Amino acid sequence: MTSPRRRTSAFVLLGMLLLQAAWMLVVPAFRGLDEHDHAYKAAAVARGDWSTTHEGLRGQWGELVEVPRDLVAAARPVCESLSYTTSANCTAYRAGPDDQVEVTSSAARYNPVFYFVIGSVARPFSGDAALYAMRAAAAMMCAVMLALAAATLRGQDGQGRWAVVGLVAATTPVVVYSTTVAAPNGLEMASAAVVWAAASRLATGGAGARGLLAAVTIGAVPLATVRTFGPLWLCLILVVVLVAYGTDHARRLVRRADARLAAAVIGLAVIGGLAWSASASTNAPPPADQTGAAASVWTVLPGQALLWLLQSVGAFPARDDPAPLVVYAVVLSGWAVLVGLAARLAARRERAAILTVVAISVLLPSAVTVATYSAVGTAWQGRYSYPVAMGALILAGIVLDRADIASHRALRLTGALAATGIAISQVASQFRVLGLDNPTVPLAKAADWPVPAPVSVAVLTIAGALALGCATTAGVPRATRRPVRAPRPEVRVGG
């Protein structure tokens, strides 16, 4: 019989792939957030552009990269519909060899490792097909990472059901959407989930240390490399885990050769990520970015903190495109129940760790906003710090597992509620993007975009939600039947 751990992982993988398929149908090619910029970068890296420096053009968005002409032509309709793009970002600035052209990309300076993978997958394709190949590669990597996180949380002993509930609760509509765009933010969040899961299990002395060390390495390497803040998120996650569970098991790991090897690999990834960011100046604003606001930063920060919370739930395809109110109501109420219950049952260190995550999620973006406000305004988005913020939900689930508070029937009810909440929040978000509930929010700017049938989107999404719901209950015994009483023995009267 398949173990609960494997069934949980399989359900998460299946559920994510179904939800991702629905989102890829909903969002037209290149309409993901800055997706044309990321696609240009991926195509350039796959063709040998690993440079840390690129030519900038005065008054133009981004810096020059060399990409196939057909990719630029396919991106042009959507690119030109965006308010922040410039001419060299949407059309060829100058011709190159072999039907290549130079075009600007705001992602030109980003770490090339992620882009090499999705760009290489897309090389046999052209135009829109190349973009969808990039999306598929990114989505598969993210789905596998989240399935690994789920398997790690369940552990070899098959426990960790509530921890998987926390992971599923952290998989918000904006997370699933981000995993389907040809951009590294989705992989950053999925990798962080693996690090949270593996580091927590290691710190609590979970069985199978070698497998857990492999898992934390698999998650930490992409987390430390795909985006500029990745090394910081990795360090903060490890610190919070130590706050929650202490250093006893960590000190024992230091004596293991495989732990030292894992630390060396992760350390090299961190050094590589930091070195690239320093040499390429990935955080420097592009030449055309002059969005600084006149209002005082201190007047906008309180509203921004609330906005970051909402953006971590739903904002698509752009950061200022909100989800329907029902999405925030469903997701945030689920979070409140999960974290609130965990806060009551948590030990002092666990409670401090959850509060630390909340504080980081507010204070660090606030500090970055204050430091960069004059140059880029309120550029920070809720999904940027979500690799750390999602840890509050995973830690809450681990607390409930330790408390062992619920019966099997309650766990099954939780799985049903999780599936229902996912279905409602994801379908409502997708229909908003399609513009079905608000005709004033048309998404597609390209006339040849094949609008998907709403029924197809809903079926895929509901099936994915059911699979994720099953992931939270895999291995939970079914309710046993009431025992049948044995017949009373016949009593004879007389001789």
Side-chain angles (χ1 to χ4, degrees):
M1 180 180 294
T2 306
S3 69
R5 182 185 189 185
R6 291 183 178 179
R7 291 204 298 275
T8 298
S9 179
F11 276 127
V12 169
L13 180 62
L14 175 62
M16 283 300 301
L17 291 175
L18 289 169
L19 292 176
Q20 289 169 328
W23 274 104
M24 279 193 274
L25 288 175
V26 165
V27 181
F30 302 100
R31 191 57 180 92
L33 185 59
D34 297 336
E35 194 170 24
H36 64 288
D37 285 316
H38 295 291
Y40 294 162
K41 172 70 174 181
V45 172
R47 289 160 177 81
D49 180 3
W50 289 68
S51 175
T52 58
T53 59
H54 297 83
E55 180 184 355
L57 302 175
R58 183 178 295 275
Q60 295 293 319
W61 174 260
E63 296 167 327
L64 288 173
V65 293
E66 192 172 276
V67 301
R69 184 185 300 274
D70 57 76
L71 188 68
V72 178
R76 180 176 179 176
V78 170
C79 180
E80 290 182 336
S81 72
L82 302 174
S83 60
Y84 58 86
T85 56
T86 53
S87 59
N89 190 221
C90 301
T91 58
Y93 174 69
R94 59 181 170 228
D98 302 325
D99 209 28
Q100 304 287 299
V101 297
E102 288 185 275
V103 66
T104 58
S105 168
S106 64
R109 302 181 187 184
Y110 292 177
N111 191 300
V113 175
F114 166 82
Y115 295 101
F116 175 75
V117 175
I118 66 170
S120 297
V121 171
R123 283 207 67 169
F125 305 94
S126 62
D128 288 348
L131 186 279
Y132 280 106
M134 294 179 191
R135 284 184 176 182
M140 179 58 73
M141 287 190 289
C142 295
V144 170
M145 282 290 186
L146 290 171
L148 175 59
T152 304
L153 289 170
R154 283 306 299 263
Q156 292 184 353
D157 55 5
Q159 301 302 311
R161 299 185 184 99
W162 282 106
V164 174
V165 172
L167 175 66
V168 169
T171 309
T172 63
V174 81
V175 170
V176 181
Y177 160 75
S178 298
T179 66
T180 63
V181 176
N185 187 237
L187 183 59
E188 181 186 41
M189 292 187 281
S191 300
V194 176
V195 175
W196 275 113
S200 297
R201 287 301 183 212
L202 283 169
T204 54
R210 179 167 295 180
L212 293 174
L213 287 167
V216 77
T217 305
I218 291 171
V221 169
L223 177 58
T225 55
V226 296
R227 286 174 61 85
T228 305
F229 278 89
L232 177 60
W233 302 150
L234 174 61
C235 293
L236 289 174
I237 290 170
L238 296 179
V239 168
V240 171
V241 168
L242 293 178
V243 169
Y245 306 113
T247 60
D248 291 344
H249 291 287
R251 286 199 298 267
R252 295 191 189 101
L253 286 173
V254 173
R255 297 192 290 268
R256 296 177 58 115
D258 50 0
R260 292 194 295 271
L261 176 61
V265 172
I266 294 170
L268 288 174
V270 170
I271 292 171
L274 291 173
W276 179 275
S277 297
S279 61
S281 299
T282 52
N283 275 348
D289 191 359
Q290 300 293 332
T291 57
S296 170
V297 64
W298 305 109
T299 63
V300 302
L301 270 183
Q304 286 299 301
L306 175 59
L307 181 62
W308 296 329
L309 173 65
L310 298 179
Q311 287 176 335
S312 67
V313 174
F316 22 67
R319 65 173 185 167
D320 53 353
D321 293 325
L325 290 178
V326 66
V327 175
Y328 302 114
V330 169
V331 174
L332 293 178
S333 61
W335 287 4
V337 171
L338 182 65
V339 176
L341 187 58
R344 291 184 58 189
L345 299 171
R348 180 178 58 84
R349 296 184 69 108
E350 292 170 322
R351 190 177 297 112
I354 294 174
L355 291 175
T356 300
V357 170
V358 175
I360 291 171
S361 303
V362 175
L363 296 179
L364 193 146
S366 297
V368 173
T369 300
V370 170
T372 62
Y373 187 68
S374 61
V376 297
T378 54
W380 192 272
Q381 300 178 39
R383 60 193 176 94
Y384 290 170
S385 53
Y386 197 66
V388 173
M390 70 192 312
L393 300 166
I394 295 173
L395 291 174
I398 294 174
V399 168
L400 298 184
D401 278 321
R402 180 186 54 75
D404 194 20
I405 62 168
S407 65
H408 294 155
R409 181 173 297 178
L411 281 166
R412 289 192 172 279
L413 176 61
T414 301
L417 291 174
T420 303
I422 293 167
I424 292 172
S425 61
Q426 296 283 345
V427 170
S429 299
Q430 293 159 351
F431 280 25
R432 165 59 63 86
V433 173
L434 282 171
L436 297 184
D437 68 341
N438 186 352
T440 66
V441 189
L443 181 62
K445 300 296 183 180
D448 59 349
W449 177 54
V451 181
V455 173
S456 301
V457 172
V459 168
L460 282 171
T461 301
I462 293 172
L466 289 173
L468 290 181
C470 290
T472 66
T473 60
V476 177
R478 296 184 181 276
T480 55
R481 295 180 179 178
R482 186 174 297 176
V484 179
R485 293 182 179 179
R488 295 179 178 180
E490 182 179 350
V491 179
R492 294 184 180 183
V493 180

